[in-house]
Every structure is written in structure tokens, then in C-alpha cells.
Amino acid sequence: MSRLSVVSTEVDPPTKRRKIDSKYTAVVKTVSSDTNMAVNGVNGVAEIDEGLYSRQLYVLGHEAMRRMATSDVLISGLGGLGVEIAKNVILGGVKSVTLHDTVACEIADLNSQFYLTEEDIGKNRAEACHSQLAALNNYVPTSVHTDSLTESFIKQFKVVVLTESTLEEQLRVSEVTHSNDIALIVADVRGLFTQVFCDFGENFTVVDVNGESPVSAMIASISKDAEGLVACVDDARHGFEDGDFVKFSEIEGMTELNTCEPRKIRVLGPYTFSIGDTSNFSDYIHGGIVTQVKMPKTVNFKPLNESLKSPEFVVTDWAKFDRAMQIHLAFLALHEFVKQHKKFPRAWNSEDSEEFLTLAEKIREDNAIDTELQVDILSLFSKICRGDVAPLDAAIGGIVAQEVMKACSGKFNPIFQWLYFDAVECLPLDLSDMTEDCCAPLGSRHDRQIAVFGKDFQDRLGKLKYFIVGAGAIGCELLKNFAMMGVGTKDDGKLIVTDMDLIEKSNLNRQFLFRSTDVQKPKSAVAARAVKIMNPALNIIAYETRVGLETEKIYDDKFFEELDGVANALDNIDARIYVDRRCVYYRKPLLESGTLGTKGNTQVVVPFLTESYSSSQDPPEKSIPICTLKNFPNAIEHTLQWARDVFEGLFCHSAQNAAKYLEDPSFAEKMLKLPGVQPVEVLESVKQALVDQRPFSFEDCVKWARCHWQEQYNNQIRQLLFNFPPDQLTSTGQPFWSGPKRRPEPLEFSVDDPLHLDYIIAAANLKAEVYGIPQNRDRGAIASIVETVEVPEFVPKSGVKIAVNDSQVLLAEASGNGAVDHDRVNSLMKALPTWENLEELTIKPLEFEKDDDTNFHMDFIVAASNLRALNYRIPLADRHKSKLIAGKIIPAIATTTSVVAGFICLELYKLTQGFKVLNRYKNGFINLALPLFAFSEPIAAPTMKYYDNEWSLWDRFEVSGELTLQEFLNYFKENHKLEITMLSQGVCMLYSFFMPKAKALERMSLPMSEIVKKVSKKKLEPHVRALVFELCCNDDEGNDIEVPYVRYTLP
């Protein structure tokens, strides 16, 4: 009997607290208040709900979204593929979607059509799923059409998508769409074979081919020549490619380039490129920025009838370079077979397969196609084309939905013109057991999957026990796919999902299992209930706890040992690495996937076969040099990071220190034990918070904000220019203020400047919140207070040291890490107020939250960053871009999520088949913008040797306790000829050859578990059944050798 359980514990409560008022209004376009914050870089696009579409906007941009919002889309055929396309297009935010279908629902449709239930059998599929699809996005009107597609009806739409259609219908509709400049997309999934065709008409304009941010570089020199040579500052490669167009700005001397049209470049090297004739221009003096310009591209599509005869393919798997034409022929043969027989070939029927091959050969000859038939591929096609699998519907549904968005917006490069993909590697190695009887329909919802894999395989899927970690965008898609595949639907099978987060409004654009009424509810519980409706036979358990060290008593040995595998749906590297290590330890398969905008990747980890997720990692992000942030910014990214640091320092770190001082009477004494200058720094921040800068009224907060503005944007800049005047030269005689060092200018405060006042309003209100002072959002009232503030006069000082590079920063820090200045510490301790004077004071440190437009956090960040950008003449960033950079937001879109979840679920089929060979598995990388699809075999687990024993990360020594340390050492000496020189458990060193003899002798007679408790000073938790020991060993010749770790099972 199927079941659903929701498990909640208090081990790890959700990080995002439930709000007091959890009501949610779906149609909220702009946040307004009497603060009436200035534009502050905000682009003023009120017609796009940035709260809902925020992550997608970072993929597509406002202009593309506006074009989509004027586009009507028709989707025909509401089977498994059609509903996936409709779901993603509706989430994307087009003007309207019309669902067309003339077919009545049957039980087999439930195989992959997740919005149909048994109650819908006999109803029109479009009508039956209309309400569910319409509820995905209140901004997209969704209607149903159940009549035939007439020419006049088709002409209403910008894009038409056909699925499950006959070739005759495709050709008829194509004549209408091509002649009326309507985009046509034809898509189908047949068994493990897929097809996509695009015709966006003649002269289709692509406004942005790849969606990447324009590259820019700082100029070092430009030659005056017939072929002008541009050299860039050599601190970073310019990143341009041959044929790129660029524009110039801020050049001194050769100013003609600042106003010229974009120029085409020829790349000569990583720091140089040519731009054509510059011989008639003025002499270059210095400075300048060169920026890539995105140029529109025109694509001419052939209509379907022409493209059928001379197809052009997008390669989806370079290991199957010649496969596309074979599948092209197979689909044509299928259309002909159905036309003649009014039905599909029977599953795994040899007679129908022979006839199918004959038809394919005739089509090849009639169309003079110069390729030999690959009989094995076409035979497989005929045997499984009656079937359908949910993962491929999800993957192709995401690809097609992205093409719809391209057709609507001109954003990204479209498929030109055919895309074919197959996943025949999912079938068994030995096909002799695949018979017509074992794949015959049973009258069940999984009949179409059974038609591909057989009844026994379906039973195996039902008995699987899988753990999905994360119920966000990928997690929702995985849950839906697993439910449609029938994973965990048998009595002894189950799905377990966990997610510690609550649903936010911005989630609704991608995490399709959630609705507006679910905001502030637990993700895992809501998602579990949603997929339970999709497949009532599903056994699913929902947890609301993080998977980590602190929850190992929940996700313990018993928990993991029962699993057949784990699927990650996480959004951070650390969590992924932790789960990966648990899977290696318990020897469980791991399905790993991730997205970044239109890019996605999938990785399957197979015990004893492949490397693990942690075996290879991306290089760390390039950090911004400290001196660049502090004094020499040259890009908006620098000023935004500086603004984040200022926010953390003013409203978080300083407030945390003060709050701890108020809570803990011994806090000051504890600080004295810190090394170097830390005691002075902490105590100074506490003194500032409680004495020097403590406000007692909102007027005090405004006064502090005004003085802080003066310090940041005037005083500090004047001091910098005092140290390094505009005409300062370096030791080599070059201008100091050149290259990446932009000469700043101090700002003069004006209450009439909206940006200046924005900073005061945000800073004052944040200061008030920290100290529990009632806030004031009245812009006029705050302006009046500001005008009364007396700002101290500033005079630059001699002797102030300013670091020019990070080496000087590190040297200054090192020189300050000596002995504690006890006189300064004593002075600070005396200056701190007594507890009696602070009894009624409470201080609230602020945790940065980018998605609340009413909390002043982003208002402060945008204002602070843009003011600093004005100091350094850096182009300002609007609120949208500022939130992306300062909030470290990962751009996301539903289409990519759907694709990667579909592709990784194909690997689940292979794991269930039990394949032990690498060439059956696929790791994938996709970029839907280009479009690019790259699949490869997983990397084999690297192996090492000690003596003649070969081992990999999946191997270990198994030792059952309890043994004393002496017995443990002897065991490895006698059984493995290994002399242990060092033995550790986590960060605890249990034994080493250089350990004092007395200590080593003392431990020799102790049981291993006792030594662990003694060294770690922690007791062993009841759930711990085994310990992990790391060894350093010598062989019998005294050489250091690498060996596996030890799993020491406790008695």
C-alpha cells in the first residue's frame, strides 16, 4: 500500500523563518512605500514581476522578457512531451498559451503526463490538464482548443509547437507558418529516440547568440597604423575572439575611437588585437576601456518540406556523429508505417521490424539519401517506438521550451534545423530476453515504459529505495520524473526527500510543484504531497533536515545501507561534497546534476567503476585583490563587493561583537586571549557600537549616516589624493593613476541629489533597526534632518600609509600581528560602559537578505556601490544587476532544470540495469543558448597499488573491533605487511612514530575507541557503529606507500 510521511525534527530548523504574515499576493509588480526611494539605478520596468522572475531575468534579460510577454504560443498534443513543453513555456512568462488536443486520455498516458489522473480517462487531454497548467503562472492566460487547426486559427500565434502529429499535418501547418512568419517547432519522443525540428522563417534575427556578458578590458596602448594594434593591460587576458565587434571609451589622445561605430577585431594574442586603420587618428596618450558589442545575426530557415530532403543537424553526441541521419530516416519510416497500418509497430515484434526496415530502405532510395541503413539502430527504433519514457519527455520538453523562448525573443542561437537524440544505452546489454510477451501492455499507467524495458524491469524500478537531497528546482523535476518512472511504488520501495528551506516567491518560476499558496511552507513536504497526487502508488517520506555532520544520527548507517542510491539536487559545493563522501563510504551510486542559466551538467557516480564527484573540482573563483577593493576599484563588481563588506562591517560584525558583550559578562576577558591585534580590533568595535556611535533617537541615526557618507565619499578620497596626487609618477616614471588605477574624485553632498539621499535613508534606517529604534521612511522628514547636521571639517593628514598592492597589505597585517598593546586594551576596557548603563539596550545584528525589497539591505548596497562608482567614474549598475552581483545569485531557468533532470534520470535506468562497464554511462554538459550538447563516458576511478594489491577510492580495509592500539598495529603488520607510521581519525592524531614514547606506551593497551574518545575529548554518539581511520604506512622495505582508509566496526 502506498504511503506518504512527513518527518520533521528540531535538529536543524529551517534557515528562513516563517514570516508572521505569510499571505502572498501573486500579482505584485513593484514594492512601494512612503520612502519613495530614488531610481538608484532601478530600470523602472514595472510590467515584469521581478520578485517572481528574478532568477530567469538574469538569464534572459528584461528586453527578451518583454518580447516574450507579447508572444502568443500554441502547443498541440498534450501527452508527456506536450505537457513538459507547456509547463516550461508557461513558467517562462509568454503572453498566452493555447493548449490543443483532439485525443482522449487513456491509462497509458499516465506514464509521463503528470497532470492526468485515472479520473481523467476518456476526457480530452488538453481540457483535463488545463487547470493544472494554468495555475503555474497567473500572468500567462491559458486556454484550450479541441477543434482542428485551421489556417485562420494558426495565424493568431507567434509560435506553433506540434507534438504527436502526422507528417501530413506537419507539412500542412508548415505551409501556413512559414508563409506568415510564424515560428514552427515539431517535436516527438518515441521510445528512446527523439526528434526536434525548428523553422523560424526567413531572415530571423538573433539579437544575442550566447547570452554571455560582454567582455571588456583596459587598454595599455594603441598604435597609429594601417592596422592599428591594441595592447591591453597585462593583468588579465582580454577574452575576445576573432570577428568580435568592440567599442571604446575613456581614451585620452586617440579620442576618435570613443565615438566611432563598433569595429571588427582580429585577435593577435591573449593581450593584443588589431582594429583596422588608425593612421589618420590623433596620437594615443593613455587610458581607455574596450568593450565587446553584441551584434545581431540573421538566420534563414528552410520550410519543413525542403528541410526534410536536405536536413541540417545539431550534433547531440559526438560518439554518434552519423546517428542523426539514421534517426531522421526512422521517423520518416514511422510516419509511413502508421499511415499504412493506422498503428505503431508492435513492441519488440520482429515481423513489424522487418516491414519497418523495408519502408526505411524505400524512403532512402526515393529521396536519394547517400547513406547506408544501420539496420540494428532502425530495428531497435521500430521495436521500442510504441513506448515512451518520462526522462526523455522532460529533457526534450526543456529543449523545445527554450526554442519557443528563442523564437519569441531572438535571445540565443536557435536549433538549425534538426536535433536528434537517442538513449539506446539504457537497454540491456543482452537483448535476447526482450520479447514481445515481456513488453506487452498490462493495462497499467506504465505500459509505455514497459514497452521499452519490459515488466521485470518495471518491477525493479518499483522496488528501488532512493534518497533525493534537495527539493528546489532540480529536486522538483527529479521527484516528478521518479514518480512517473514508478520508482519506489512497490511495497518495499520508497523515495525519501529532504530540504530544510521554506518556499519563497522567487522559487515559483522554476520549482513547479509549488503554488503561491505554498509560500513559507516547507519545500520537501509540499513537493512530496504534489508528486503523490501525480502517482498515488508512490511511497514517499519527506524530511525537513539538512544532510550534514550535525544530522548523522538521523541519516545514519542504517539509513544509508538500506538505500539503492542517492540523487543530489543541491545548490552549493560543500553540501554536494559531503553527500558524495557519504555515498563513497556507503558505496552507493550518486546522480549529480547542476545548472547555471542555460548551462547544465550531469554526472553519474558508480561504485567501484567511476571517480566520485569530489575527485575533480572546478578551480576557485578569482578573488578581488584587497587593495583594489579598498582604494583602486575599476569595475562595478569591485564597488559592489566593497559595499557588501561595508554592510557586513557596519550592521553585522560590529553589532555581533556588541551583542555578545551585552549577553556574556566574560566576553571582554575571552577577547583578550585572541592573538595579535584582534583584542584591540574587537574591543574598538564594541566601544564604537556602545559609546562613540550609539544612537539614542532616529535623528542620531541620520546624523551618523550623514557623517559616514562624508567619510566614505569625500574624506577618504581626499586623503587618497593627498597621498597620491593626480600628477604622481611611479618609480619607473609612468603615471601612477593609469591602467587599472582610476583617479577618483571626491563627492560633495547634496540633499537634492536622489542618490545621496538614498544612502542616508537606507543607512539611517538600518542603524535604527540594529538598535531597536523606530524607523522613519518619510523621505522629506529625513531630508529636513540632514540639512541640520553639522559635518566636521576634514584636513588630509601626513604620515597616513595606504597600501598600493596586496603585498603591502600583507606586510602591514604581519607587522600588526605582534604583541598585544596592553595600554590600548586597558584604555578600551575602561571606556566600555558598565552593565548597569546597558540594561535596557538590545542590539540586533542584521543578516543580509537580498530578496526582501522592504528591508533597506539592497537599497544600501546599490546606493553605497553607485556612490563609490561615481567617485571612480565607473558606469553605475541598476538594482537588478547589483542584486545579481552583490547577492551572488545563480541565474536559473526552468528549461535547463528540466533538461538536466531528464538526462540524469536516464542514468538511473542504467544503474537499475546493473551495468558494470563505463561505456554505457554518460556524463553530460549542455548549453541551451548555443545550443551545445556534449556527452562523454565517466572518468574511471583512479587506481593505486601497494605490493600487488590495486585499489581505488571505493576500497578500504575492514577491521572489526574491539582491538587495542597494539593489536591494531600488529594486525596490519601480520596480515598486510604494513608498518603503520601514523594513524589518525578526523583531525585527531591517535598514533605516530614520532610521538613521545611514554604517551605511545600509554595508548598501546587502550582499546581504539577509548583512544578516540580520549584524544578528541568527545564521547561516541549511540548511532556511531564504525570509525574511520586514515593510515600512513611503510612497506617491508621501509618505503612510504599509499593505502586505503580503515573502516573499524565497533562491537
Side-chain angles (χ1 to χ4, degrees):
M1 186 174 179
S2 67
R3 60 192 183 277
L4 181 150
S5 302
V6 178
V7 179
S8 178
T9 77
E10 296 188 8
V11 173
D12 193 8
T15 52
K16 297 185 178 179
R17 307 289 183 197
R18 287 174 173 79
K19 297 170 185 174
I20 296 172
D21 180 8
S22 62
K23 294 180 182 177
Y24 167 75
T25 304
V27 187
V28 179
K29 297 188 178 179
T30 55
V31 176
S32 62
S33 71
D34 52 3
T35 311
N36 191 25
M37 297 298 282
V39 172
N40 204 4
V42 177
N43 53 34
V45 181
E47 71 272 19
I48 298 176
D49 185 344
E50 294 193 3
L52 177 66
Y53 292 117
S54 64
R55 304 310 188 259
Q56 180 174 296
L57 275 166
Y58 293 121
V59 181
L60 299 178
H62 283 89
E63 190 57 39
M65 287 285 293
R66 281 194 211 98
R67 294 194 199 101
M68 285 170 52
T70 64
S71 302
D72 299 299
V73 178
L74 170 66
I75 299 172
S76 177
L78 268 296
L81 176 59
V83 75
E84 289 280 2
I85 298 168
K87 173 202 69 179
N88 294 322
V89 170
I90 292 169
L91 289 171
V94 295
K95 181 181 178 183
S96 72
V97 170
T98 299
L99 310 171
H100 169 256
D101 209 327
T102 59
V103 178
C105 173
E106 57 185 56
I107 186 68
D109 285 317
L110 276 58
N111 179 73
S112 56
Q113 221 290 20
F114 47 83
Y115 282 149
L116 296 178
T117 67
E118 291 189 15
E119 295 178 358
D120 297 319
I121 294 173
K123 299 177 184 177
N124 179 282
R125 295 186 300 181
E127 292 179 334
C129 67
H130 168 242
S131 62
Q132 294 267 42
L133 285 167
L136 287 170
N137 192 339
N138 292 336
Y139 291 125
V140 181
T142 307
S143 59
V144 173
H145 183 73
T146 57
D147 294 329
S148 60
L149 299 178
T150 63
E151 182 174 344
S152 60
F153 185 75
I154 292 171
K155 288 180 179 178
Q156 301 175 42
F157 300 96
K158 173 75 174 176
V159 184
V160 174
V161 181
L162 300 180
T163 69
E164 302 183 11
S165 55
T166 64
L167 182 59
E168 291 73 23
E169 177 78 347
Q170 294 170 10
L171 291 167
R172 182 184 70 82
V173 172
S174 174
E175 288 183 11
V176 179
T177 57
H178 193 82
S179 59
N180 289 279
D181 200 27
I182 299 169
L184 172 67
I185 303 173
V186 177
D188 259 318
V189 173
R190 300 296 178 187
L192 295 172
F193 295 88
T194 68
Q195 175 191 64
V196 179
F197 167 78
C198 293
D199 171 17
F200 294 174
E202 299 172 8
N203 301 315
F204 178 78
T205 301
V206 181
V207 295
D208 184 352
V209 173
N210 59 20
E212 300 294 335
S213 297
V215 178
S216 65
M218 306 194 78
I219 298 169
S221 66
I222 306 176
S223 70
K224 190 175 177 180
D225 209 337
E227 190 64 40
L229 176 70
V230 179
C232 296
V233 175
D234 61 3
D235 64 341
R237 295 168 179 262
H238 56 60
F240 298 122
E241 296 179 2
D242 256 347
D244 280 351
F245 284 78
V246 299
K247 62 181 180 180
F248 297 87
S249 61
E250 302 184 29
I251 293 175
E252 294 185 28
M254 198 177 283
T255 55
E256 296 90 342
L257 285 174
N258 290 334
T259 56
C260 73
E261 293 295 311
R263 296 175 76 97
K264 191 174 183 178
I265 69 168
R266 183 164 64 91
V267 172
L268 303 174
Y271 306 102
T272 56
F273 57 88
S274 61
I275 57 172
D277 191 359
T278 58
S279 59
N280 295 323
F281 292 167
S282 308
D283 289 339
Y284 173 82
I285 298 177
H286 71 81
I289 297 173
V290 57
T291 305
Q292 180 187 33
V293 178
K294 294 294 185 79
M295 302 297 286
K297 166 186 171 184
T298 301
V299 184
N300 294 303
F301 288 84
K302 292 182 287 188
L304 178 61
N305 61 337
E306 293 181 23
S307 190
L308 278 169
K309 298 172 184 175
S310 54
E312 295 181 67
F313 304 116
V314 172
V315 178
T316 56
D317 189 341
W318 289 96
K320 307 173 182 178
F321 181 76
D322 58 347
R323 185 69 57 86
M325 181 55 82
Q326 300 295 321
I327 307 177
H328 186 71
L329 280 170
F331 271 95
L332 290 175
L334 178 62
H335 284 300
E336 186 61 30
F337 189 100
V338 173
K339 182 179 178 181
Q340 292 182 17
H341 297 281
K342 310 300 181 190
K343 65 177 184 178
F344 285 86
R346 288 166 288 179
W348 297 96
N349 180 275
S350 300
E351 184 181 336
D352 285 357
S353 177
E354 289 297 325
E355 183 178 351
F356 184 89
L357 290 171
T358 302
L359 288 173
E361 178 61 30
K362 186 174 186 305
I363 291 168
R364 187 189 70 81
E365 293 173 355
D366 291 347
N367 290 275
I369 296 173
D370 186 21
T371 186
E372 290 186 12
L373 291 187
Q374 294 180 9
V375 175
D376 55 342
I377 294 299
L378 271 78
S379 177
L380 263 183
F381 185 101
S382 72
K383 291 177 179 179
I384 64 175
C385 65
R386 179 181 285 271
D388 180 39
V389 294
L392 277 181
D393 285 330
I396 302 305
I399 292 170
V400 172
Q402 191 67 63
E403 296 306 304
V404 171
M405 296 180 190
K406 294 176 186 178
C408 295
S409 66
K411 182 89 170 186
F412 307 139
N413 204 38
I415 289 173
F416 192 83
Q417 285 189 260
W418 296 90
L419 179 146
Y420 288 105
F421 176 82
D422 73 84
V424 294
E425 301 85 4
C426 297
L427 293 170
L429 289 168
D430 182 3
L431 297 178
S432 61
D433 292 333
M434 301 303 297
T435 64
E436 189 175 354
D437 286 342
C438 79
C439 299
L442 303 173
S444 79
R445 66 179 297 139
H446 297 297
D447 275 355
R448 289 179 186 160
Q449 186 166 262
I450 289 171
V452 177
F453 296 111
K455 305 182 188 71
D456 292 344
F457 186 79
Q458 188 63 50
D459 287 340
R460 271 185 273 161
L461 287 173
K463 293 176 182 177
L464 290 177
K465 301 178 183 69
Y466 254 79
F467 184 30
I468 298 179
V469 187
I474 292 178
C476 284
E477 288 288 337
L478 290 176
L479 284 166
K480 175 259 298 176
N481 290 345
F482 278 37
M484 293 296 97
M485 294 161 69
V487 174
T489 52
K490 297 295 182 182
D491 285 344
D492 46 356
K494 62 183 174 183
L495 272 185
I496 305 166
V497 61
T498 190
D499 198 306
M500 59 182 285
D501 279 343
L502 304 178
I503 298 164
E504 302 287 339
K505 180 184 177 183
S506 61
N507 300 150
L508 305 180
N509 175 237
R510 314 173 308 289
Q511 300 171 23
F512 81 105
L513 296 179
F514 309 142
R515 299 293 176 267
S516 58
T517 53
D518 297 323
V519 169
Q520 289 301 298
K521 294 179 182 176
K523 284 185 177 181
S524 57
V526 174
R529 292 188 181 99
V531 293
K532 180 71 174 174
I533 294 171
M534 293 177 177
N535 187 347
L538 183 66
N539 302 313
I540 186 163
I541 302 170
Y543 285 81
E544 296 174 30
T545 48
R546 182 204 304 270
V547 180
L549 287 169
E550 68 275 22
T551 56
E552 286 187 359
K553 62 183 177 184
I554 298 171
Y555 309 112
D556 57 10
D557 291 357
K558 183 176 184 296
F559 178 89
F560 270 96
E561 286 166 1
E562 288 182 350
L563 298 176
D564 292 298
V566 178
N568 263 353
L570 293 160
D571 61 359
N572 70 87
I573 300 297
D574 290 342
R576 284 184 164 114
I577 290 173
Y578 175 81
V579 174
D580 174 68
R581 287 174 177 168
R582 296 296 274 173
C583 287
V584 170
Y585 177 74
Y586 292 108
R587 295 167 170 173
K588 301 297 179 182
L590 174 65
L591 301 171
E592 175 62 62
S593 55
T595 69
L596 176 64
T598 59
K599 304 181 186 76
N601 68 281
T602 61
Q603 180 182 359
V604 57
V605 177
V606 187
F608 300 102
L609 188 62
T610 72
E611 67 174 12
S612 74
Y613 172 81
S614 307
S615 298
S616 56
Q617 297 179 33
D618 294 332
E621 291 185 18
K622 187 177 180 181
S623 60
I624 303 171
I626 299 171
C627 64
T628 300
L629 284 178
K630 285 188 172 183
N631 299 306
F632 307 112
N634 57 62
I636 198 65
E637 288 81 3
H638 302 160
T639 65
L640 281 164
Q641 183 59 56
W642 175 86
R644 268 301 303 272
D645 292 345
V646 170
F647 179 96
E648 297 295 332
L650 292 176
F651 309 117
C652 182
H653 299 324
S654 177
Q656 283 176 343
N657 289 333
K660 289 175 182 175
Y661 177 82
L662 295 176
E663 295 167 3
D664 184 0
S666 61
F667 176 75
E669 293 180 13
K670 292 177 180 176
M671 292 305 100
L672 297 179
K673 298 177 181 178
L674 294 174
V677 297
Q678 290 184 60
V680 173
E681 290 177 346
V682 172
L683 292 174
E684 280 184 339
S685 73
V686 173
K687 178 175 175 288
Q688 277 192 341
L690 300 181
V691 181
D692 303 337
Q693 297 178 4
R694 176 184 174 182
F696 292 90
S697 66
F698 188 77
E699 288 74 14
D700 288 345
C701 295
V702 174
K703 179 180 179 181
W704 168 84
R706 172 65 185 89
C707 292
H708 196 268
W709 188 102
Q710 192 72 16
E711 174 66 21
Q712 297 282 7
Y713 305 109
N714 184 282
N715 299 355
Q716 288 185 9
I717 301 301
R718 287 166 62 191
Q719 181 68 54
L720 184 63
L721 291 172
F722 179 81
N723 281 42
F724 307 107
D727 57 356
Q728 176 95 5
L729 298 178
T730 66
S731 58
T732 60
Q734 296 297 313
F736 179 85
W737 295 106
S738 62
K741 289 186 174 65
R742 301 170 71 92
R743 187 179 73 244
E745 295 292 338
L747 302 182
E748 296 298 333
F749 183 83
S750 171
V751 74
D752 297 321
D753 189 314
L755 183 56
H756 295 193
L757 191 55
D758 281 352
Y759 180 92
I760 303 299
I761 294 170
N765 276 281
L766 290 170
K767 186 80 167 178
E769 185 179 358
V770 169
Y771 287 87
I773 295 170
Q775 293 179 316
N776 186 339
R777 295 169 179 258
D778 188 326
R779 193 175 186 87
I782 295 172
S784 298
I785 298 171
V786 170
E787 291 181 314
T788 67
V789 177
E790 293 186 13
V791 179
E793 186 65 30
F794 173 78
V795 178
K797 300 174 184 176
S798 299
V800 175
K801 293 184 179 180
I802 297 177
V804 176
N805 53 51
D806 277 11
S807 298
Q808 294 181 8
V809 174
L810 295 172
L811 188 62
E813 289 178 352
S815 63
N817 283 335
V820 177
D821 185 345
H822 292 288
D823 291 340
R824 179 62 180 150
V825 168
N826 292 332
S827 173
L828 287 169
M829 292 289 286
K830 290 176 183 178
L832 292 178
T834 61
W835 279 66
E836 291 76 15
N837 298 328
L838 300 172
E839 285 182 356
E840 297 182 1
L841 177 63
T842 57
I843 289 184
K844 171 189 171 186
L846 303 183
E847 184 178 343
F848 179 68
E849 173 49 61
K850 61 187 176 294
D851 288 324
D852 183 350
D853 286 334
T854 66
N855 65 7
F856 290 107
H857 293 198
M858 279 309 303
D859 295 305
F860 178 85
I861 295 293
V862 177
S865 170
N866 281 341
L867 285 167
R868 189 162 176 83
L870 287 174
N871 278 138
Y872 288 86
R873 293 174 291 112
I874 297 169
L876 309 190
D878 63 19
R879 187 186 187 91
H880 180 70
K881 181 177 180 179
S882 299
K883 185 187 285 190
L884 170 71
I885 298 169
K888 303 185 187 304
I889 290 175
I890 299 175
I893 191 167
T895 50
T896 316
T897 304
S898 181
V899 174
V900 298
F903 281 144
I904 198 62
C905 285
L906 292 175
E907 303 307 305
L908 177 57
Y909 286 137
K910 303 171 187 179
L911 289 169
T912 308
Q913 296 280 17
F915 295 147
K916 300 298 182 186
V917 287
L918 276 173
N919 62 11
R920 300 298 279 198
Y921 295 99
K922 297 279 186 182
N923 288 347
F925 173 79
I926 63 163
N927 187 341
L928 297 182
L930 299 178
L932 169 70
F933 302 88
F935 294 93
S936 62
E937 288 181 12
I939 298 174
T943 57
M944 288 153 281
K945 267 190 174 184
Y946 70 93
Y947 298 123
D948 294 327
N949 302 301
E950 193 171 73
W951 64 278
S952 73
L953 77 160
W954 298 101
D955 295 297
R956 63 189 177 214
F957 294 112
E958 295 281 359
V959 178
S960 296
E962 188 78 282
L963 301 178
T964 64
L965 175 57
Q966 184 67 65
E967 290 170 339
F968 188 89
L969 299 177
N970 292 344
Y971 171 83
F972 277 90
K973 185 73 172 177
E974 296 166 4
N975 291 276
H976 300 286
K977 296 191 292 184
L978 295 173
E979 180 187 355
I980 296 176
T981 56
M982 283 191 286
L983 170 65
S984 61
Q985 194 259 341
V987 296
C988 299
M989 181 65 70
L990 307 182
Y991 166 79
S992 67
F993 69 92
F994 52 79
M995 182 179 287
K997 289 185 177 180
K999 182 183 287 188
L1001 189 60
E1002 176 190 346
R1003 292 182 183 179
M1004 284 296 175
S1005 60
L1006 293 177
M1008 295 297 291
S1009 61
E1010 288 299 319
I1011 298 174
V1012 169
K1013 287 187 282 187
K1014 182 175 181 178
V1015 177
S1016 67
K1017 297 182 172 63
K1018 295 177 183 176
K1019 65 177 183 178
L1020 294 179
E1021 298 291 339
H1023 67 275
V1024 175
R1025 290 166 40 191
L1027 300 171
V1028 173
F1029 297 138
E1030 300 284 348
L1031 307 179
C1032 288
C1033 295
N1034 288 344
D1035 61 16
D1036 50 13
E1037 295 181 357
N1039 299 314
D1040 288 339
I1041 53 174
E1042 287 195 62
V1043 295
Y1045 70 93
V1046 179
R1047 184 175 188 264
Y1048 181 81
T1049 304
L1050 298 171

